[in-house]
Amino acid sequence: MAGRRIRFTAVLVAVVFSLTGFSHGGHGSHGGKSSSGGSSGGGCSSSKKRSSYHSTSDNNNNSNGSGSGKSTPSPTKSARPPAHAQVVSCAGPGSPKAVLTVTSDVDTARTVDVPVTFEGASGVVDRTSVRVTLKARETQTVTAAMVHEDKAAETRTCVVGRID
C-alpha cells in the first residue's frame, strides 16, 4: 500500500510540474528548492511560460541576476521634471538669442538648467543652457544667448530640452 502512495505522489508531482511549465532539466535560473534543501536547478521550460509564471518569491530568490521576470519599479514623483519651458522668440538674423518662459512645476524653490538647441536647415547650429532660480510654481521670462553668435542667421528653430 505504501508503494502505491509513493508512486501516486511521484506521478502527481510530475503532472503538476508539467502543467505549470517546470522541468527538472536545469533550464532557467529560478533555483527552486529540492527536498534536501539544495538548489535543484529547475526552471521554466519555455520563455512564454516563464513570462507568465512569476510570483514575488520567484523574483526575490533569483540570486544570479539573470533579469527575466524581474519587476521594474514604477516611476516616482521625482522622475517628473521640476520645470518646463516654452520658446517665446527664437534666434535669427541679427538676434543671437532665444527668449523663453520657464515655469516651476514643484512646490519648493529650485535652480534649474534649461537646455536650448538652435537648429538650422542642415541640423544643429548651436547649443546653450540657461540657469534659472524659480520660487514654487513661479514663471520667469529668460534669455538664452547663443554661444556662437555668428551662426544666428542660420537658425530656424529653437528647441527646449529636458529640464533636470
Side-chain angles (χ1 to χ4, degrees):
M1 189 71 168
R4 283 186 183 174
R5 284 187 193 169
I6 291 173
R7 274 186 285 175
F8 177 74
T9 302
V11 169
L12 183 61
V13 168
V15 168
V16 169
F17 280 164
S18 68
L19 289 176
T20 59
F22 279 84
S23 68
H24 190 63
H27 301 290
S29 59
H30 292 295
K33 299 284 184 181
S34 68
S35 61
S36 63
S39 177
S40 68
C44 296
S45 61
S46 84
S47 60
K48 287 183 183 176
K49 289 182 182 177
R50 181 181 323 180
S51 65
S52 65
Y53 183 79
H54 282 295
S55 69
T56 304
S57 63
D58 284 344
N59 291 337
N60 292 339
N61 289 335
N62 192 355
S63 61
N64 70 355
S66 66
S68 65
K70 290 199 174 218
S71 61
T72 304
S74 59
T76 61
K77 288 185 180 181
S78 63
R80 198 177 87 214
H84 67 277
Q86 293 181 327
V87 177
V88 175
S89 65
C90 187
S95 179
K97 61 187 174 188
V99 177
L100 314 168
T101 57
V102 184
T103 303
S104 168
D105 292 327
V106 294
D107 294 325
T108 58
R110 292 282 291 264
T111 299
V112 295
D113 290 316
V114 182
V116 181
T117 303
F118 300 90
E119 297 178 350
S122 60
V124 175
V125 174
D126 200 2
R127 294 179 197 270
T128 192
S129 181
V130 61
R131 182 164 282 184
V132 184
T133 300
L134 298 165
K135 296 177 185 171
R137 307 286 176 186
E138 178 184 27
T139 299
Q140 284 187 29
T141 301
V142 297
T143 302
M146 293 181 73
V147 175
H148 301 97
E149 294 180 3
D150 58 319
K151 296 192 177 199
E154 298 175 40
T155 303
R156 296 216 174 142
T157 60
C158 296
V159 179
V160 176
R162 179 174 167 89
I163 300 171
D164 290 323

mmCIF file with all atom_site columns, all heavy atoms in Angstrom, residues 9-34:
data_model
loop_
_atom_site.group_PDB
_atom_site.id
_atom_site.type_symbol
_atom_site.label_atom_id
_atom_site.label_alt_id
_atom_site.label_comp_id
_atom_site.label_asym_id
_atom_site.label_entity_id
_atom_site.label_seq_id
_atom_site.pdbx_PDB_ins_code
_atom_site.Cartn_x
_atom_site.Cartn_y
_atom_site.Cartn_z
_atom_site.occupancy
_atom_site.B_iso_or_equiv
_atom_site.pdbx_formal_charge
_atom_site.auth_seq_id
_atom_site.auth_comp_id
_atom_site.auth_asym_id
_atom_site.auth_atom_id
_atom_site.pdbx_PDB_model_num
ATOM 1   N N   . THR A 1 9  ? 2.154  9.699  -5.636  1.00 0.00 ? 9  THR A N   1
ATOM 2   C CA  . THR A 1 9  ? 2.699  11.017 -5.317  1.00 0.00 ? 9  THR A CA  1
ATOM 3   C C   . THR A 1 9  ? 3.713  11.440 -6.370  1.00 0.00 ? 9  THR A C   1
ATOM 4   O O   . THR A 1 9  ? 3.714  12.595 -6.811  1.00 0.00 ? 9  THR A O   1
ATOM 5   C CB  . THR A 1 9  ? 3.367  11.006 -3.922  1.00 0.00 ? 9  THR A CB  1
ATOM 6   O OG1 . THR A 1 9  ? 2.383  10.598 -2.959  1.00 0.00 ? 9  THR A OG1 1
ATOM 7   C CG2 . THR A 1 9  ? 3.887  12.375 -3.549  1.00 0.00 ? 9  THR A CG2 1
ATOM 8   N N   . ALA A 1 10 ? 4.567  10.520 -6.804  1.00 0.00 ? 10 ALA A N   1
ATOM 9   C CA  . ALA A 1 10 ? 5.562  10.842 -7.826  1.00 0.00 ? 10 ALA A CA  1
ATOM 10  C C   . ALA A 1 10 ? 4.888  11.220 -9.143  1.00 0.00 ? 10 ALA A C   1
ATOM 11  O O   . ALA A 1 10 ? 5.283  12.186 -9.810  1.00 0.00 ? 10 ALA A O   1
ATOM 12  C CB  . ALA A 1 10 ? 6.517  9.667  -8.035  1.00 0.00 ? 10 ALA A CB  1
ATOM 13  N N   . VAL A 1 11 ? 3.862  10.477 -9.534  1.00 0.00 ? 11 VAL A N   1
ATOM 14  C CA  . VAL A 1 11 ? 3.131  10.784 -10.771 1.00 0.00 ? 11 VAL A CA  1
ATOM 15  C C   . VAL A 1 11 ? 2.416  12.122 -10.623 1.00 0.00 ? 11 VAL A C   1
ATOM 16  O O   . VAL A 1 11 ? 2.427  12.950 -11.545 1.00 0.00 ? 11 VAL A O   1
ATOM 17  C CB  . VAL A 1 11 ? 2.137  9.645  -11.110 1.00 0.00 ? 11 VAL A CB  1
ATOM 18  C CG1 . VAL A 1 11 ? 1.194  10.068 -12.228 1.00 0.00 ? 11 VAL A CG1 1
ATOM 19  C CG2 . VAL A 1 11 ? 2.882  8.380  -11.484 1.00 0.00 ? 11 VAL A CG2 1
ATOM 20  N N   . LEU A 1 12 ? 1.831  12.389 -9.479  1.00 0.00 ? 12 LEU A N   1
ATOM 21  C CA  . LEU A 1 12 ? 1.127  13.643 -9.235  1.00 0.00 ? 12 LEU A CA  1
ATOM 22  C C   . LEU A 1 12 ? 2.091  14.831 -9.321  1.00 0.00 ? 12 LEU A C   1
ATOM 23  O O   . LEU A 1 12 ? 1.795  15.848 -9.959  1.00 0.00 ? 12 LEU A O   1
ATOM 24  C CB  . LEU A 1 12 ? 0.444  13.604 -7.864  1.00 0.00 ? 12 LEU A CB  1
ATOM 25  C CG  . LEU A 1 12 ? -0.396 14.834 -7.502  1.00 0.00 ? 12 LEU A CG  1
ATOM 26  C CD1 . LEU A 1 12 ? -1.531 15.009 -8.497  1.00 0.00 ? 12 LEU A CD1 1
ATOM 27  C CD2 . LEU A 1 12 ? -0.950 14.683 -6.099  1.00 0.00 ? 12 LEU A CD2 1
ATOM 28  N N   . VAL A 1 13 ? 3.275  14.700 -8.742  1.00 0.00 ? 13 VAL A N   1
ATOM 29  C CA  . VAL A 1 13 ? 4.284  15.759 -8.796  1.00 0.00 ? 13 VAL A CA  1
ATOM 30  C C   . VAL A 1 13 ? 4.715  15.993 -10.244 1.00 0.00 ? 13 VAL A C   1
ATOM 31  O O   . VAL A 1 13 ? 4.839  17.133 -10.693 1.00 0.00 ? 13 VAL A O   1
ATOM 32  C CB  . VAL A 1 13 ? 5.490  15.413 -7.894  1.00 0.00 ? 13 VAL A CB  1
ATOM 33  C CG1 . VAL A 1 13 ? 6.656  16.343 -8.155  1.00 0.00 ? 13 VAL A CG1 1
ATOM 34  C CG2 . VAL A 1 13 ? 5.084  15.477 -6.430  1.00 0.00 ? 13 VAL A CG2 1
ATOM 35  N N   . ALA A 1 14 ? 4.928  14.924 -10.990 1.00 0.00 ? 14 ALA A N   1
ATOM 36  C CA  . ALA A 1 14 ? 5.325  15.060 -12.400 1.00 0.00 ? 14 ALA A CA  1
ATOM 37  C C   . ALA A 1 14 ? 4.237  15.760 -13.207 1.00 0.00 ? 14 ALA A C   1
ATOM 38  O O   . ALA A 1 14 ? 4.525  16.609 -14.057 1.00 0.00 ? 14 ALA A O   1
ATOM 39  C CB  . ALA A 1 14 ? 5.631  13.683 -12.998 1.00 0.00 ? 14 ALA A CB  1
ATOM 40  N N   . VAL A 1 15 ? 2.979  15.454 -12.970 1.00 0.00 ? 15 VAL A N   1
ATOM 41  C CA  . VAL A 1 15 ? 1.873  16.093 -13.680 1.00 0.00 ? 15 VAL A CA  1
ATOM 42  C C   . VAL A 1 15 ? 1.802  17.575 -13.316 1.00 0.00 ? 15 VAL A C   1
ATOM 43  O O   . VAL A 1 15 ? 1.651  18.435 -14.192 1.00 0.00 ? 15 VAL A O   1
ATOM 44  C CB  . VAL A 1 15 ? 0.534  15.380 -13.365 1.00 0.00 ? 15 VAL A CB  1
ATOM 45  C CG1 . VAL A 1 15 ? -0.651 16.197 -13.856 1.00 0.00 ? 15 VAL A CG1 1
ATOM 46  C CG2 . VAL A 1 15 ? 0.520  13.995 -13.976 1.00 0.00 ? 15 VAL A CG2 1
ATOM 47  N N   . VAL A 1 16 ? 1.940  17.890 -12.035 1.00 0.00 ? 16 VAL A N   1
ATOM 48  C CA  . VAL A 1 16 ? 1.902  19.294 -11.616 1.00 0.00 ? 16 VAL A CA  1
ATOM 49  C C   . VAL A 1 16 ? 3.036  20.064 -12.258 1.00 0.00 ? 16 VAL A C   1
ATOM 50  O O   . VAL A 1 16 ? 2.842  21.165 -12.786 1.00 0.00 ? 16 VAL A O   1
ATOM 51  C CB  . VAL A 1 16 ? 1.947  19.404 -10.068 1.00 0.00 ? 16 VAL A CB  1
ATOM 52  C CG1 . VAL A 1 16 ? 2.167  20.840 -9.635  1.00 0.00 ? 16 VAL A CG1 1
ATOM 53  C CG2 . VAL A 1 16 ? 0.661  18.870 -9.474  1.00 0.00 ? 16 VAL A CG2 1
ATOM 54  N N   . PHE A 1 17 ? 4.260  19.506 -12.256 1.00 0.00 ? 17 PHE A N   1
ATOM 55  C CA  . PHE A 1 17 ? 5.394  20.191 -12.883 1.00 0.00 ? 17 PHE A CA  1
ATOM 56  C C   . PHE A 1 17 ? 5.169  20.383 -14.375 1.00 0.00 ? 17 PHE A C   1
ATOM 57  O O   . PHE A 1 17 ? 5.475  21.428 -14.932 1.00 0.00 ? 17 PHE A O   1
ATOM 58  C CB  . PHE A 1 17 ? 6.693  19.422 -12.650 1.00 0.00 ? 17 PHE A CB  1
ATOM 59  C CG  . PHE A 1 17 ? 7.288  19.660 -11.284 1.00 0.00 ? 17 PHE A CG  1
ATOM 60  C CD1 . PHE A 1 17 ? 8.251  18.800 -10.798 1.00 0.00 ? 17 PHE A CD1 1
ATOM 61  C CD2 . PHE A 1 17 ? 6.913  20.732 -10.494 1.00 0.00 ? 17 PHE A CD2 1
ATOM 62  C CE1 . PHE A 1 17 ? 8.822  19.001 -9.557  1.00 0.00 ? 17 PHE A CE1 1
ATOM 63  C CE2 . PHE A 1 17 ? 7.475  20.946 -9.259  1.00 0.00 ? 17 PHE A CE2 1
ATOM 64  C CZ  . PHE A 1 17 ? 8.433  20.085 -8.771  1.00 0.00 ? 17 PHE A CZ  1
ATOM 65  N N   . SER A 1 18 ? 4.637  19.373 -15.039 1.00 0.00 ? 18 SER A N   1
ATOM 66  C CA  . SER A 1 18 ? 4.429  19.510 -16.484 1.00 0.00 ? 18 SER A CA  1
ATOM 67  C C   . SER A 1 18 ? 3.335  20.526 -16.794 1.00 0.00 ? 18 SER A C   1
ATOM 68  O O   . SER A 1 18 ? 3.429  21.259 -17.782 1.00 0.00 ? 18 SER A O   1
ATOM 69  C CB  . SER A 1 18 ? 4.114  18.166 -17.121 1.00 0.00 ? 18 SER A CB  1
ATOM 70  O OG  . SER A 1 18 ? 2.844  17.704 -16.690 1.00 0.00 ? 18 SER A OG  1
ATOM 71  N N   . LEU A 1 19 ? 2.308  20.624 -15.980 1.00 0.00 ? 19 LEU A N   1
ATOM 72  C CA  . LEU A 1 19 ? 1.226  21.583 -16.203 1.00 0.00 ? 19 LEU A CA  1
ATOM 73  C C   . LEU A 1 19 ? 1.657  23.015 -15.902 1.00 0.00 ? 19 LEU A C   1
ATOM 74  O O   . LEU A 1 19 ? 1.179  23.953 -16.531 1.00 0.00 ? 19 LEU A O   1
ATOM 75  C CB  . LEU A 1 19 ? 0.005  21.223 -15.365 1.00 0.00 ? 19 LEU A CB  1
ATOM 76  C CG  . LEU A 1 19 ? -0.752 19.970 -15.805 1.00 0.00 ? 19 LEU A CG  1
ATOM 77  C CD1 . LEU A 1 19 ? -1.876 19.676 -14.825 1.00 0.00 ? 19 LEU A CD1 1
ATOM 78  C CD2 . LEU A 1 19 ? -1.296 20.132 -17.212 1.00 0.00 ? 19 LEU A CD2 1
ATOM 79  N N   . THR A 1 20 ? 2.554  23.197 -14.954 1.00 0.00 ? 20 THR A N   1
ATOM 80  C CA  . THR A 1 20 ? 2.992  24.556 -14.600 1.00 0.00 ? 20 THR A CA  1
ATOM 81  C C   . THR A 1 20 ? 4.183  25.013 -15.410 1.00 0.00 ? 20 THR A C   1
ATOM 82  O O   . THR A 1 20 ? 4.603  26.154 -15.302 1.00 0.00 ? 20 THR A O   1
ATOM 83  C CB  . THR A 1 20 ? 3.347  24.654 -13.106 1.00 0.00 ? 20 THR A CB  1
ATOM 84  O OG1 . THR A 1 20 ? 4.394  23.728 -12.815 1.00 0.00 ? 20 THR A OG1 1
ATOM 85  C CG2 . THR A 1 20 ? 2.146  24.403 -12.233 1.00 0.00 ? 20 THR A CG2 1
ATOM 86  N N   . GLY A 1 21 ? 4.749  24.143 -16.241 1.00 0.00 ? 21 GLY A N   1
ATOM 87  C CA  . GLY A 1 21 ? 5.836  24.559 -17.110 1.00 0.00 ? 21 GLY A CA  1
ATOM 88  C C   . GLY A 1 21 ? 7.208  24.354 -16.524 1.00 0.00 ? 21 GLY A C   1
ATOM 89  O O   . GLY A 1 21 ? 8.191  24.798 -17.092 1.00 0.00 ? 21 GLY A O   1
ATOM 90  N N   . PHE A 1 22 ? 7.323  23.692 -15.417 1.00 0.00 ? 22 PHE A N   1
ATOM 91  C CA  . PHE A 1 22 ? 8.626  23.447 -14.820 1.00 0.00 ? 22 PHE A CA  1
ATOM 92  C C   . PHE A 1 22 ? 9.174  22.112 -15.282 1.00 0.00 ? 22 PHE A C   1
ATOM 93  O O   . PHE A 1 22 ? 8.435  21.163 -15.465 1.00 0.00 ? 22 PHE A O   1
ATOM 94  C CB  . PHE A 1 22 ? 8.533  23.445 -13.288 1.00 0.00 ? 22 PHE A CB  1
ATOM 95  C CG  . PHE A 1 22 ? 8.537  24.818 -12.710 1.00 0.00 ? 22 PHE A CG  1
ATOM 96  C CD1 . PHE A 1 22 ? 7.373  25.547 -12.615 1.00 0.00 ? 22 PHE A CD1 1
ATOM 97  C CD2 . PHE A 1 22 ? 9.717  25.390 -12.284 1.00 0.00 ? 22 PHE A CD2 1
ATOM 98  C CE1 . PHE A 1 22 ? 7.365  26.817 -12.089 1.00 0.00 ? 22 PHE A CE1 1
ATOM 99  C CE2 . PHE A 1 22 ? 9.721  26.657 -11.763 1.00 0.00 ? 22 PHE A CE2 1
ATOM 100 C CZ  . PHE A 1 22 ? 8.542  27.371 -11.669 1.00 0.00 ? 22 PHE A CZ  1
ATOM 101 N N   . SER A 1 23 ? 10.471 22.102 -15.485 1.00 0.00 ? 23 SER A N   1
ATOM 102 C CA  . SER A 1 23 ? 11.127 20.845 -15.827 1.00 0.00 ? 23 SER A CA  1
ATOM 103 C C   . SER A 1 23 ? 12.269 20.627 -14.849 1.00 0.00 ? 23 SER A C   1
ATOM 104 O O   . SER A 1 23 ? 12.692 21.548 -14.172 1.00 0.00 ? 23 SER A O   1
ATOM 105 C CB  . SER A 1 23 ? 11.652 20.884 -17.257 1.00 0.00 ? 23 SER A CB  1
ATOM 106 O OG  . SER A 1 23 ? 12.718 21.803 -17.343 1.00 0.00 ? 23 SER A OG  1
ATOM 107 N N   . HIS A 1 24 ? 12.816 19.445 -14.826 1.00 0.00 ? 24 HIS A N   1
ATOM 108 C CA  . HIS A 1 24 ? 13.905 19.134 -13.920 1.00 0.00 ? 24 HIS A CA  1
ATOM 109 C C   . HIS A 1 24 ? 15.244 19.222 -14.642 1.00 0.00 ? 24 HIS A C   1
ATOM 110 O O   . HIS A 1 24 ? 16.271 18.865 -14.105 1.00 0.00 ? 24 HIS A O   1
ATOM 111 C CB  . HIS A 1 24 ? 13.689 17.725 -13.329 1.00 0.00 ? 24 HIS A CB  1
ATOM 112 C CG  . HIS A 1 24 ? 14.625 17.410 -12.203 1.00 0.00 ? 24 HIS A CG  1
ATOM 113 N ND1 . HIS A 1 24 ? 14.620 18.123 -11.036 1.00 0.00 ? 24 HIS A ND1 1
ATOM 114 C CD2 . HIS A 1 24 ? 15.594 16.463 -12.087 1.00 0.00 ? 24 HIS A CD2 1
ATOM 115 C CE1 . HIS A 1 24 ? 15.555 17.621 -10.237 1.00 0.00 ? 24 HIS A CE1 1
ATOM 116 N NE2 . HIS A 1 24 ? 16.156 16.622 -10.846 1.00 0.00 ? 24 HIS A NE2 1
ATOM 117 N N   . GLY A 1 25 ? 15.258 19.763 -15.864 1.00 0.00 ? 25 GLY A N   1
ATOM 118 C CA  . GLY A 1 25 ? 16.451 19.701 -16.703 1.00 0.00 ? 25 GLY A CA  1
ATOM 119 C C   . GLY A 1 25 ? 17.435 20.839 -16.539 1.00 0.00 ? 25 GLY A C   1
ATOM 120 O O   . GLY A 1 25 ? 18.341 20.973 -17.327 1.00 0.00 ? 25 GLY A O   1
ATOM 121 N N   . GLY A 1 26 ? 17.318 21.709 -15.570 1.00 0.00 ? 26 GLY A N   1
ATOM 122 C CA  . GLY A 1 26 ? 18.310 22.756 -15.369 1.00 0.00 ? 26 GLY A CA  1
ATOM 123 C C   . GLY A 1 26 ? 18.110 23.963 -16.262 1.00 0.00 ? 26 GLY A C   1
ATOM 124 O O   . GLY A 1 26 ? 18.997 24.776 -16.383 1.00 0.00 ? 26 GLY A O   1
ATOM 125 N N   . HIS A 1 27 ? 16.968 24.109 -16.915 1.00 0.00 ? 27 HIS A N   1
ATOM 126 C CA  . HIS A 1 27 ? 16.703 25.284 -17.739 1.00 0.00 ? 27 HIS A CA  1
ATOM 127 C C   . HIS A 1 27 ? 16.266 26.412 -16.833 1.00 0.00 ? 27 HIS A C   1
ATOM 128 O O   . HIS A 1 27 ? 15.634 26.204 -15.833 1.00 0.00 ? 27 HIS A O   1
ATOM 129 C CB  . HIS A 1 27 ? 15.588 25.012 -18.755 1.00 0.00 ? 27 HIS A CB  1
ATOM 130 C CG  . HIS A 1 27 ? 15.905 23.887 -19.678 1.00 0.00 ? 27 HIS A CG  1
ATOM 131 N ND1 . HIS A 1 27 ? 16.864 23.982 -20.643 1.00 0.00 ? 27 HIS A ND1 1
ATOM 132 C CD2 . HIS A 1 27 ? 15.388 22.639 -19.760 1.00 0.00 ? 27 HIS A CD2 1
ATOM 133 C CE1 . HIS A 1 27 ? 16.922 22.843 -21.302 1.00 0.00 ? 27 HIS A CE1 1
ATOM 134 N NE2 . HIS A 1 27 ? 16.045 22.013 -20.780 1.00 0.00 ? 27 HIS A NE2 1
ATOM 135 N N   . GLY A 1 28 ? 16.586 27.624 -17.183 1.00 0.00 ? 28 GLY A N   1
ATOM 136 C CA  . GLY A 1 28 ? 16.131 28.766 -16.393 1.00 0.00 ? 28 GLY A CA  1
ATOM 137 C C   . GLY A 1 28 ? 17.043 29.017 -15.226 1.00 0.00 ? 28 GLY A C   1
ATOM 138 O O   . GLY A 1 28 ? 18.046 28.340 -15.026 1.00 0.00 ? 28 GLY A O   1
ATOM 139 N N   . SER A 1 29 ? 16.657 29.984 -14.412 1.00 0.00 ? 29 SER A N   1
ATOM 140 C CA  . SER A 1 29 ? 17.546 30.394 -13.326 1.00 0.00 ? 29 SER A CA  1
ATOM 141 C C   . SER A 1 29 ? 16.806 30.641 -12.033 1.00 0.00 ? 29 SER A C   1
ATOM 142 O O   . SER A 1 29 ? 17.216 31.453 -11.241 1.00 0.00 ? 29 SER A O   1
ATOM 143 C CB  . SER A 1 29 ? 18.278 31.669 -13.745 1.00 0.00 ? 29 SER A CB  1
ATOM 144 O OG  . SER A 1 29 ? 17.329 32.675 -14.027 1.00 0.00 ? 29 SER A OG  1
ATOM 145 N N   . HIS A 1 30 ? 15.670 29.947 -11.839 1.00 0.00 ? 30 HIS A N   1
ATOM 146 C CA  . HIS A 1 30 ? 14.908 30.211 -10.635 1.00 0.00 ? 30 HIS A CA  1
ATOM 147 C C   . HIS A 1 30 ? 15.494 29.539 -9.406  1.00 0.00 ? 30 HIS A C   1
ATOM 148 O O   . HIS A 1 30 ? 15.248 29.981 -8.304  1.00 0.00 ? 30 HIS A O   1
ATOM 149 C CB  . HIS A 1 30 ? 13.446 29.805 -10.803 1.00 0.00 ? 30 HIS A CB  1
ATOM 150 C CG  . HIS A 1 30 ? 12.748 30.676 -11.783 1.00 0.00 ? 30 HIS A CG  1
ATOM 151 N ND1 . HIS A 1 30 ? 12.553 32.013 -11.557 1.00 0.00 ? 30 HIS A ND1 1
ATOM 152 C CD2 . HIS A 1 30 ? 12.237 30.416 -13.003 1.00 0.00 ? 30 HIS A CD2 1
ATOM 153 C CE1 . HIS A 1 30 ? 11.946 32.541 -12.589 1.00 0.00 ? 30 HIS A CE1 1
ATOM 154 N NE2 . HIS A 1 30 ? 11.743 31.593 -13.482 1.00 0.00 ? 30 HIS A NE2 1
ATOM 155 N N   . GLY A 1 31 ? 16.228 28.478 -9.585  1.00 0.00 ? 31 GLY A N   1
ATOM 156 C CA  . GLY A 1 31 ? 16.880 27.829 -8.454  1.00 0.00 ? 31 GLY A CA  1
ATOM 157 C C   . GLY A 1 31 ? 15.892 27.345 -7.424  1.00 0.00 ? 31 GLY A C   1
ATOM 158 O O   . GLY A 1 31 ? 16.013 27.686 -6.264  1.00 0.00 ? 31 GLY A O   1
ATOM 159 N N   . GLY A 1 32 ? 14.910 26.589 -7.837  1.00 0.00 ? 32 GLY A N   1
ATOM 160 C CA  . GLY A 1 32 ? 13.929 26.062 -6.898  1.00 0.00 ? 32 GLY A CA  1
ATOM 161 C C   . GLY A 1 32 ? 14.579 25.133 -5.889  1.00 0.00 ? 32 GLY A C   1
ATOM 162 O O   . GLY A 1 32 ? 15.640 24.578 -6.108  1.00 0.00 ? 32 GLY A O   1
ATOM 163 N N   . LYS A 1 33 ? 13.941 24.940 -4.744  1.00 0.00 ? 33 LYS A N   1
ATOM 164 C CA  . LYS A 1 33 ? 14.486 24.109 -3.679  1.00 0.00 ? 33 LYS A CA  1
ATOM 165 C C   . LYS A 1 33 ? 14.109 22.658 -3.895  1.00 0.00 ? 33 LYS A C   1
ATOM 166 O O   . LYS A 1 33 ? 12.983 22.333 -4.228  1.00 0.00 ? 33 LYS A O   1
ATOM 167 C CB  . LYS A 1 33 ? 13.949 24.559 -2.309  1.00 0.00 ? 33 LYS A CB  1
ATOM 168 C CG  . LYS A 1 33 ? 14.318 25.980 -1.950  1.00 0.00 ? 33 LYS A CG  1
ATOM 169 C CD  . LYS A 1 33 ? 15.747 26.055 -1.534  1.00 0.00 ? 33 LYS A CD  1
ATOM 170 C CE  . LYS A 1 33 ? 16.069 27.464 -1.090  1.00 0.00 ? 33 LYS A CE  1
ATOM 171 N NZ  . LYS A 1 33 ? 17.392 27.664 -0.698  1.00 0.00 ? 33 LYS A NZ  1
ATOM 172 N N   . SER A 1 34 ? 15.071 21.770 -3.693  1.00 0.00 ? 34 SER A N   1
ATOM 173 C CA  . SER A 1 34 ? 14.762 20.344 -3.738  1.00 0.00 ? 34 SER A CA  1
ATOM 174 C C   . SER A 1 34 ? 14.388 19.904 -2.336  1.00 0.00 ? 34 SER A C   1
ATOM 175 O O   . SER A 1 34 ? 14.493 20.656 -1.380  1.00 0.00 ? 34 SER A O   1
ATOM 176 C CB  . SER A 1 34 ? 15.977 19.558 -4.245  1.00 0.00 ? 34 SER A CB  1
ATOM 177 O OG  . SER A 1 34 ? 17.022 19.597 -3.302  1.00 0.00 ? 34 SER A OG  1
#
